[in-house]
Amino acid sequence: MTATSTSAPEADPASLHAGVIEWFDDHARDLPWRRPEAGAWGVMVSEFMLQQTPVNRVIPVYEQWLARWPRPADLATESPGEAVRAWGRLGYPRRALRLHGAATAIAERHGGDVPKTHQQLLALPGVGEYTAAAVASFAYGQRHAVLDTNVRRVFARAVTGTQYPPNATTAAERRLARTLLPEGERTAARWAAATMELGALVCTARSPECGRCPIARLCAWRQAGSPAHEGPARRVQTYAGTDRQVRGKLLGVLREAVEPVPQAVLDQVWHEPEQRARALRGLLMDGLAERLPDGRYRLPGA
DNA sequence: TATACGTGGCG
DNA sequence: TCGCCAAGTAT
C-alpha cells in the first residue's frame, strides 16, 4: 500500500491517537473519580461500581461511599453487611462483598494503600483483567491495554470494521489493543481513558453519533458502508421470574431492615416456595445473608 | 467457553 | 410493552 491513497485514509495508530485524545481533551466528563482528590481508592471504588452499572446511577452512591469510607482501612473495619447495605440498588451486590474483601486485603497485605502492579491488583477479590488494568492506568498512569465493552466496540468499528465486537473478548482483540497502545506511559493512560469515553459518549452501541466522532474519517466500519452485524446476536439475559429476581427481592428486604428479619417476612416476597428457598440458599451460600440462631435473617455481620 | 449474577432507563 | 444495554468477575 502506497501513501498516495486519499479517498479512504488508513486508521494508522498515530492518527487515531491524536484524534481520540484531542477529542477527549475537550469532551471528557467531569466525573468525581477523575478528580485528583479521588486517589487510587476512589478509582478502585468507581471501577467496582461501574462493572455493569451506568455512570449516572453510580455517582451518588460513589459520593456517599467515599465520604463514609475515605480509605480502604475505613471500609475494612466495617461488617460486610454494611457494605452491602451502602451498595443500595446498584445491582450485583456480590460486588459490594468483593469490594469489602479487597479493602480488607489492602489493609492487611498492602499497608492500607491500593497496590500498584497489575499482578497485585488482579489478586484482589472482584478485580479481573479489566479492573486491574483500569486502576493501574487511571490511578497510577501506567501503560496497560484497558479493554472494556466501550473500547472493544470502538476498536471493532474503527479498526476491524464490524458493528460489534465478539460476544467474549478474544485473543485477537487483546493483541490489537496492545498493538494500538501508545508507547509513552502518559499517552497510553490518556488513550485508555479517551477510547472508553468515546465509546460511552459517541460510538455507542445502539445509535453511534458518527457526526460527532473525531475519527469518523478513519473508521473502517464507516468506510465499509456501516454493514449490519453478522455474527450471532448477543444473548439477552432474561430476568423476570428468575432466581436473580427473587434474590433481589429477598436482599431488598434485608437491606432495608433495621432488625433481623423473620422467615415469615421473607416468605412474602415470592409466591413459589421452592424457588424462594433456592434463592435464599443462594444468598446464604454467597455470603450476602446470614441466618441467626433464632432463625431470623440479616445482612452478613450487620 | 458458557452461565449466573441486579437494576433501571431508554427507544 | 419489552428487548436492549450498562466501565465485568467468578466458576
Side-chain angles (χ1 to χ4, degrees), chain A residues 27-76:
Chain A
H27 296 89
R29 288 169 293 179
D30 175 29
L31 300 171
W33 44 87
R34 285 181 178 163
R35 296 173 196 149
E37 62 267 28
W41 173 237
V43 171
M44 172 169 276
V45 170
S46 77
E47 290 303 336
F48 270 78
M49 292 183 172
L50 288 163
Q51 291 168 3
Q52 301 286 279
T53 302
V55 165
N56 287 334
R57 287 176 46 210
V58 164
I59 290 174
V61 181
Y62 170 89
E63 300 279 22
Q64 295 170 24
W65 194 283
L66 265 291
R68 182 172 177 184
W69 300 307
R71 297 164 305 176
D74 300 317
L75 177 58

Side-chain angles (χ1 to χ4, degrees), chain A residues 13-225:
Chain A
S15 300
L16 291 173
H17 296 161
V20 177
I21 291 175
E22 285 169 23
W23 170 87
F24 188 57
D25 290 339
D26 292 334
H27 296 89
R29 288 169 293 179
D30 175 29
L31 300 171
W33 44 87
R34 285 181 178 163
R35 296 173 196 149
E37 62 267 28
W41 173 237
V43 171
M44 172 169 276
V45 170
S46 77
E47 290 303 336
F48 270 78
M49 292 183 172
L50 288 163
Q51 291 168 3
Q52 301 286 279
T53 302
V55 165
N56 287 334
R57 287 176 46 210
V58 164
I59 290 174
V61 181
Y62 170 89
E63 300 279 22
Q64 295 170 24
W65 194 283
L66 265 291
R68 182 172 177 184
W69 300 307
R71 297 164 305 176
D74 300 317
L75 177 58
T77 64
E78 294 275 3
S79 70
E82 275 309 299
V84 173
R85 198 186 307 274
W87 196 254
R89 304 186 63 79
L90 288 182
Y92 291 149
R94 291 190 294 192
R95 292 180 293 163
L97 232 38
R98 292 174 183 149
L99 181 52
H100 180 273
T104 302
I106 290 169
E108 291 176 353
R109 305 205 302 262
H110 299 286
D113 296 319
V114 176
K116 294 189 175 178
T117 73
H118 187 277
Q119 185 179 352
Q120 288 173 320
L121 288 163
L122 201 53
L124 298 172
V127 176
E129 180 182 348
Y130 160 77
T131 301
V135 172
S137 180
F138 303 153
Y140 295 122
Q142 295 171 22
R143 183 176 182 273
H144 289 283
V146 179
L147 208 48
D148 80 324
T149 188
N150 289 305
V151 177
R152 294 180 60 219
R153 189 174 54 248
V154 168
F155 288 175
R157 289 175 182 166
V159 182
T160 311
T162 60
Q163 187 178 18
Y164 296 115
N167 283 331
T169 305
T170 63
E173 287 183 276
R174 292 189 181 89
R175 204 177 313 124
L176 175 62
R178 285 196 304 273
T179 301
L180 290 175
L181 203 54
E183 285 302 321
E185 206 175 30
R186 292 182 60 100
T187 308
R190 195 77 180 155
W191 165 252
T195 46
M196 281 182 65
E197 192 78 334
L198 186 65
L201 298 183
V202 175
C203 193
T204 60
R206 253 190 293 198
S207 51
E209 298 184 63
C210 302
R212 296 178 46 205
C213 181
I215 55 172
R217 290 177 308 118
L218 308 174
C219 179
W221 182 53
R222 293 210 89 206
Q223 289 175 4

Side-chain angles (χ1 to χ4, degrees), chain A residues 273-296:
Chain A
E274 205 152 314
Q275 188 176 27
R276 199 173 62 219
R278 186 170 64 241
L280 182 55
R281 276 198 306 276
L283 290 176
L284 295 169
M285 287 265 301
D286 290 346
L288 283 165
E290 64 184 16
R291 180 188 166 108
L292 299 177
D294 66 8
R296 293 183 299 167

